[in-house]
Amino acid sequence: MDQQAKIDADFLEPTVLLDETHYQEGYRNGYNDGLASGKEEGRQVGLKIGFQVGEELGFFQGCLDVWTSAILIDQNAFTARVRKNIEQLAALVGSYPLSDPENEQIQDVMEKIRLKFRVITASLGVKLEYEGHPKSSKQDVEDL
């Protein structure tokens, strides 16, 4: 390398380093800002989903309370099969892992609760459903 080429390379080196420094600083700032806004957005989504789940579980528990009260007043209010399904629904609602939102089986438990609820209402011949529930839980996840 001749002397002039070496001087030209040395002359451009601070410019290249400055550009790299600005790039790294911008990346760090963007990453930190994204991390902060991502945590806030995650908190908002978690709050929304948690409220929806709690509302739905409350609906099922309310129905269970009414049915259980009817059974306490009149043992023959429902058939043995319906009473058994009510007991099973109560066990499912009671087993829902409220304190463990990262439980991988949480969706399975909710689907079992919904299915058992539909079995009971069909057996009773009533049209009763939770109106706040999205028709497709997979669609709700995709919307996020």
Side-chain angles (χ1 to χ4, degrees), residues 13-122:
E13 187 174 341
T15 305
V16 171
L17 290 176
L18 183 62
D19 185 47
E20 181 64 25
T21 301
H22 284 292
Y23 172 80
Q24 291 295 331
E25 184 179 335
Y27 178 84
R28 266 193 315 277
N29 289 341
Y31 180 83
N32 290 336
D33 288 348
L35 193 61
S37 66
K39 283 183 180 179
E40 179 57 27
E41 185 177 334
R43 189 181 76 73
Q44 291 295 327
V45 169
L47 184 63
K48 177 184 171 193
I49 298 299
F51 180 82
Q52 290 171 345
V53 167
E55 184 180 43
E56 187 173 7
L57 285 172
F59 170 79
F60 294 132
Q61 185 61 54
C63 292
L64 280 168
D65 290 345
V66 169
W67 294 330
T68 304
S69 295
I71 292 169
L72 289 175
I73 292 169
D74 179 7
Q75 287 287 322
N76 298 319
F78 305 114
T79 65
R81 188 170 143 230
V82 171
R83 284 195 309 268
K84 181 180 176 189
N85 283 323
I86 290 171
E87 290 170 9
Q88 290 171 343
L89 178 61
L92 284 169
V93 170
S95 73
Y96 190 87
L98 287 172
S99 303
D100 188 12
E102 294 183 16
N103 186 325
E104 293 177 9
Q105 296 170 353
I106 206 164
Q107 283 292 66
D108 291 339
V109 173
M110 184 58 87
E111 288 302 318
K112 287 177 183 176
I113 290 170
R114 290 175 185 144
L115 180 62
K116 187 59 71 175
F117 183 79
R118 284 194 298 270
V119 166
I120 293 168
T121 56

Side-chain angles (χ1 to χ4, degrees), residues 41 45 48-49 52 107 134-144:
E41 185 177 334
V45 169
K48 177 184 171 193
I49 298 299
Q52 290 171 345
Q107 283 292 66
K135 295 302 178 202
S136 170
S137 56
K138 290 177 183 164
Q139 180 64 42
D140 205 29
V141 171
E142 290 170 4
D143 289 344
L144 299 177

